[in-house]
Amino acid sequence: MWDSLRTIPYGETISYGQLAQKIGNPKAVRAVGLANGCNPIPIIIPCHRVIGSDGGLTGFGGGLSNKRKLLALESRQMRLL
């Protein structure tokens, strides 16, 4: 599953449901969420790019504020410094 996370392009997002379909198990939405929550290296394996099906930000071990900042940075809405 984490291999699939690494294929999400920089600056793009995918929903938990879409990721579950991508790994071949569309009913595994909660399992995808739990696996994301166990990610020990979220910058290398970009779990912050996974969002809710309604486009909302949901869960991130580093906090939703940091998830928002990472996504903004990737979408070029925020400067690094």
Side-chain angles (χ1 to χ4, degrees), residues 20-31:
Q21 288 179 341
K22 187 174 184 176
I23 64 170
N25 192 348
K27 294 184 179 182
V29 176
R30 287 187 179 198

Side-chain angles (χ1 to χ4, degrees), residues 24-71:
N25 192 348
K27 294 184 179 182
V29 176
R30 287 187 179 198
V32 165
L34 289 172
N36 276 1
C38 295
N39 181 359
I41 45 178
I43 298 299
I44 296 170
I45 301 174
C47 59
H48 63 279
R49 294 179 187 151
V50 184
I51 59 174
S53 61
D54 64 356
L57 300 185
T58 59
F60 181 62
L64 290 181
S65 174
N66 287 329
K67 183 173 187 168
R68 188 175 295 108
K69 288 176 185 177
L70 285 167
L71 292 173

Side-chain angles (χ1 to χ4, degrees), residues 2 7-8 10 17-20 27 31 41-42 52 55 64 67 70 72 75 78 81:
W2 287 348
T7 67
I8 304 168
Y10 184 89
Q18 290 170 320
L19 188 55
K27 294 184 179 182
I41 45 178
L64 290 181
K67 183 173 187 168
L70 285 167
S75 67
M78 181 179 141
L81 299 174

